[in-house]
Amino acid sequence: MNILVCIRQGRDGEINPFDACAYEAALQIPNAEVTILSMGPEKTKDFLLGLTRLGAQRAILLTDKAFAGADTLATAYALALAAKKINPDLIFCGRQTLEGDTAQVGPMLAVKVGYSLITNVLEIVSLGDSITCKTRYKETEVAHLPALITVERINQLRRPSIRSRIGTVEIWNSDTILADKNRCGLTGSPTRVIKTYENESGKRKCTFVSPADLQKIIQDSLHKKEIKIKTYGETFDKLKKVFIVGSEPMSFAKTISDDITVLEKTDENTITEIIKKERPSAVLWASDIWSKRTAAKVAAILDLGLCADCTMLESDGKKLIMYRPALSGSIIAKIESLTAPTMATVRTNDENIKDIFVTAGYGVKDSLPQIKDFANKIGAELGATRKAVDNNILPYDMQIGLTGKTVSPPVYIAIGVSGAVHHIVGMQRSGTVIAINPDRDAPIFEYADYGILANFEDIYKQL
Ligand SMILES: Cc1cc2nc3c(=O)[nH]c(=O)nc-3n(C[C@H](O)[C@H](O)[C@H](O)COP(=O)(O)OP(=O)(O)OC[C@H]3O[C@@H](n4cnc5c(N)ncnc54)[C@H](O)[C@@H]3O)c2cc1C
């Protein structure tokens, strides 16, 4: 069994955490011949050499000036040419990179190499002529080989043993894989970043109050549903013929067009044929697992740019401009697409939530029964930060933020939440934000209208 693992070096010099899990999963397959492949600058060679000590039989670095500045489609193009040359039975990718956060390269690569695909793998259940996996969206999913899987954070990458040997790294360039340079790197990338802004959109002026004021603030806030958020884009003229896949992106679509058609959530080939025939000016998708995966496949089939996780759209009647959080939410990037139709996944709100939301952070990890009781008493729905989820305090489907859900209830109460930008992007459109935290310097207070400076447990009985 030949397994190719695609690996990216993160900005911190370390292996992208999802890729680390993909590598470990490949190393755990009995009798597998594992090849690791990375696209990056020449200095990536030392990083790959270090990784050969863990057990890969072969390591390949794809490096060429022509590859620089590649978006997800241009990355998938180059990786696919290399993968075809290696011809593995299986390709393992991490679910996404921490920097890009798009989860597009895996599905796009599967299309480009013509492999079947399973994304968001939590466990490999069996492997033979086909691979059966437990995934984040389905109990078991089966794919015939050759197949590509994208792996969630499911394991810990092994450390090298003292006796382990360093292997060698083969250097491949655009000629080695017979790449068309016009389809590589920045030149071959259909999406372009026009400008970036510091992400300050959720910031508010916080008034510190006593616990006794909380009930009144909640009641008053339930009636004013205004959203206090700084906006960047503005639609001057609307676009003609915009398609949305499923009804979830409707509120986004309405900001850029009055001519909206809802497509059924069906397979990628059917949607591709409709797009080819109808030629809409834009296609918008939701940001659930199915939508992100299918949008990436359609983009790869049609060689279209795809902008992920847009939080705002604007149009001048001819062109769609997309805004999305980047670099883990610290900046907002303004993006255009050079191909038509423009395709984007948008961060849709979870509409089916109660008016009051209580999010439990890691700070209240030992007080979950009290948090649940408090939420219950005020008729609130419960959410969680990623740190609370990663530590198994609450389940993933409750996670709010960049890699979780987006919510905008009239009242959002953050308890034991520090206020990382990754969390903020998932709740910043809420009506009134109230934070309970004993640390006055916690960033959450910069994004809250009201703050209570206290340990939750100390005030729980008064609430
Ligand atoms: C690519 C990427 C994506 C991410 N996506 C998400 C995401 O979608 N959602 C998300 O939430 N995070 C996400 N994160 C993680 C994020 O960066 C933070 O690490 C996380 O949000 C912190 O969680 P926390 O606030 O619960 O914990 P901490 O940062 O540990 O904060 C705990 C807070 O609790 C306070 N506290 C302590 N004791 C008490 C008490 N008794 N009562 C009240 N308060 C108390 C402390 O003062 C502290 O401010 C992501 C990170 C990365 C790199």
Side-chain angles (χ1 to χ4, degrees):
M1 177 81 56
N2 289 314
I3 304 180
L4 173 66
V5 187
C6 296
I7 286 175
R8 180 169 156 172
Q9 186 177 28
R11 286 162 73 91
D12 57 2
E14 301 294 321
I15 179 170
N16 174 48
F18 290 98
D19 300 349
C21 297
Y23 188 19
E24 178 60 35
L27 291 171
Q28 284 178 14
I29 308 264
N31 306 318
E33 290 270 320
V34 177
T35 300
I36 51 177
L37 169 70
S38 188
M39 188 169 96
E42 266 177 51
K43 59 179 189 219
T44 314
K45 185 179 173 192
D46 290 341
F47 158 75
L48 274 185
L49 275 176
L51 290 177
T52 59
R53 293 182 61 197
L54 302 181
Q57 278 79 11
R58 197 175 172 198
I60 298 163
L61 172 62
L62 207 50
T63 187
D64 197 309
K65 281 202 179 87
F67 298 141
D71 71 357
T72 51
L73 191 71
T75 301
Y77 169 73
L79 289 178
L81 291 176
K84 281 182 187 160
K85 203 169 150 71
I86 299 160
N87 194 25
D89 303 297
L90 277 167
I91 302 176
F92 284 18
C93 297
R95 182 188 83 186
Q96 64 189 60
T97 61
L98 284 193
E99 284 90 21
D101 238 359
T102 66
Q104 289 174 3
V105 172
M108 286 178 167
L109 177 55
V111 168
K112 295 281 177 207
V113 290
Y115 282 23
S116 44
L117 170 72
I118 304 180
T119 61
N120 304 79
V121 168
L122 296 174
E123 188 188 331
I124 297 170
V125 181
S126 66
L127 181 57
D129 292 339
S130 62
I131 181 165
T132 305
C133 301
K134 197 174 158 196
T135 72
R136 203 181 268 297
Y137 53 90
K138 215 170 174 190
E139 193 48 40
T140 54
E141 176 101 80
V142 184
H144 284 285
L145 267 44
L148 183 150
I149 64 167
T150 74
V151 178
E152 294 274 349
R153 288 174 90 155
I154 51 172
N155 54 36
Q156 199 75 41
L157 181 58
R158 63 194 63 189
R159 294 185 169 278
S161 75
I162 311 167
R163 285 189 299 275
S164 65
R165 290 230 208 102
I166 292 191
T168 53
V169 173
E170 297 168 44
I171 306 289
W172 289 10
N173 60 23
S174 55
D175 293 333
T176 324
I177 56 171
L178 304 175
D180 172 354
K181 286 199 176 72
N182 288 322
R183 298 184 67 185
C184 296
L186 191 61
T187 316
S189 296
T191 53
R192 284 288 149 87
V193 175
I194 304 169
K195 199 173 172 182
T196 57
Y197 309 81
E198 197 182 332
N199 187 5
E200 293 199 318
S201 52
K203 289 207 172 160
R204 303 169 187 223
K205 189 173 175 332
C206 182
T207 306
F208 287 96
V209 295
S210 82
D213 299 324
L214 187 62
Q215 285 294 358
K216 185 170 182 327
I217 290 169
I218 293 174
Q219 288 314 318
D220 290 350
S221 307
L222 279 173
H223 302 296
K224 53 169 192 204
K225 296 196 175 184
E226 74 184 288
I227 293 170
K228 302 163 190 165
I229 185 161
K230 187 178 161 196
T231 53
Y232 298 94
E234 207 179 334
T235 289
F236 301 108
D237 204 356
K238 294 202 165 177
L239 287 174
K240 291 213 170 58
K241 215 172 182 177
V242 168
F243 284 7
I244 58 176
V245 183
S247 57
E248 296 98 318
M250 184 59 88
S251 56
F252 276 83
K254 280 183 177 163
T255 65
I256 49 148
S257 182
D258 296 323
D259 178 3
I260 302 161
T261 305
V262 183
L263 300 184
E264 210 181 303
K265 284 187 163 180
T266 167
D267 66 283
E268 65 272 14
N269 293 322
T270 309
I271 296 175
T272 301
E273 286 312 312
I274 296 172
I275 293 173
K276 279 203 308 206
K277 190 163 162 248
E278 301 287 335
R279 296 170 173 266
S281 53
V283 184
L284 305 182
W285 307 70
S287 42
D288 57 281
I289 289 176
W290 180 89
S291 299
K292 287 180 112 173
R293 179 181 55 222
T294 313
K297 284 170 141 185
V298 170
I301 296 169
L302 294 172
D303 277 322
L304 294 175
L306 173 63
C307 184
D309 290 321
C310 299
T311 50
M312 209 161 355
L313 303 173
E314 98 186 357
S315 144
D316 60 3
K318 295 190 192 86
K319 200 168 192 163
L320 179 66
I321 299 294
M322 300 156 283
Y323 293 84
R324 73 164 302 228
L327 295 184
S328 302
S330 58
I331 61 165
I332 296 282
K334 179 179 183 180
I335 294 169
E336 65 176 346
S337 175
L338 307 180
T339 47
T342 306
M343 293 236 297
T345 63
V346 292
R347 285 199 67 92
T348 42
N349 262 332
D350 192 337
E351 307 283 354
N352 304 317
I353 56 164
K354 294 183 181 165
D355 278 357
I356 311 174
F357 215 89
V358 167
T359 286
Y362 189 67
V364 285
K365 61 181 184 309
D366 300 322
S367 317
L368 201 58
Q370 291 93 318
I371 292 276
K372 282 184 173 166
D373 180 52
F374 168 62
N376 201 20
K377 275 188 185 140
I378 60 170
E381 189 157 338
L382 204 56
T385 62
R386 172 147 147 194
K387 200 162 165 188
V389 170
D390 284 352
N391 286 281
N392 295 322
I393 297 160
L394 286 163
Y396 171 73
D397 59 12
M398 285 192 181
Q399 185 181 311
I400 311 298
L402 191 67
T403 42
K405 292 192 291 192
T406 302
V407 292
S408 57
V411 181
Y412 188 90
I413 309 176
I415 310 180
V417 176
S418 59
V421 278
H422 311 105
H423 183 74
I424 301 299
V425 293
M427 48 63 76
Q428 63 187 6
R429 287 173 175 268
S430 302
T432 299
V433 176
I434 304 165
I436 303 175
N437 193 314
D439 178 6
R440 184 179 266 277
D441 294 326
I444 189 70
F445 291 125
E446 291 177 39
Y447 302 92
D449 300 289
Y450 297 98
I452 298 177
L453 276 172
N455 283 323
F456 171 72
E457 299 76 5
D458 294 341
I459 59 169
Y460 163 65
K461 290 201 180 75
Q462 309 168 42
L463 295 176

